[in-house]
Amino acid sequence: QVQLVESGGGLVQAGGSLRLSCAASGRTFSSYAMGWFRQAPGKEREFVAAITWGGLTTAIADSVKGRFTISRDNAKNTVYLLMNNLKPEDTARYYCAAHRRLRVFTTILADFGSWGQGTQVTVSS
């Protein structure tokens, strides 16, 4: 089993940037696709970005495409989400997750089986 811990959230002005980090435990981290999801109060958890086990392929939600970038450093067992040009609509709790299966890449929430505790991102206007 993999354990995930997110960090890097905070309060920023619209137009600002944040980089979220997700530190993972587990000897097979490099064999799993990783994803970022977010959830605002009263809303369903939604897909933000995902990256394959080797980091060569990424998927970005249309709502954040061009502003957010996902990356990973398998040597450090860490996945990142760089968020640029933040907007108030980006305010949410952001969660890191690992895919349920080895070397399988999808962006469906139910396909991710290990979750971090989340980190809050608040964007003021």
Side-chain angles (χ1 to χ4, degrees), residues 4-7 36-37 93-96 115-120:
L4 308 173
V5 180
E6 301 96 331
S7 62
W36 286 96
F37 298 78
R93 192 165 186 87
Y94 284 71
Y95 297 88
C96 175
W115 295 85
Q117 83 288 350
T119 185
Q120 180 68 35

Side-chain angles (χ1 to χ4, degrees), residues 29-101:
F29 170 78
S30 63
S31 296
Y32 289 93
M34 301 292 295
W36 286 96
F37 298 78
R38 67 186 183 185
Q39 187 168 22
K43 298 183 66 177
E44 297 289 323
R45 190 170 298 185
E46 66 175 353
F47 167 77
V48 176
I51 187 167
T52 54
W53 45 94
L56 298 179
T57 302
T58 63
I60 309 294
D62 288 342
S63 60
V64 302
K65 192 172 185 178
R67 299 187 296 121
F68 290 12
T69 303
I70 188 171
S71 62
R72 69 191 296 164
D73 185 342
N74 286 346
K76 297 181 178 179
N77 274 15
T78 302
V79 62
Y80 305 96
L81 184 68
L82 176 61
M83 305 182 295
N84 292 321
N85 192 25
L86 283 161
K87 305 177 183 296
E89 64 198 64
D90 296 318
T91 295
R93 192 165 186 87
Y94 284 71
Y95 297 88
C96 175
H99 203 281
R100 292 183 182 271
R101 296 204 285 170

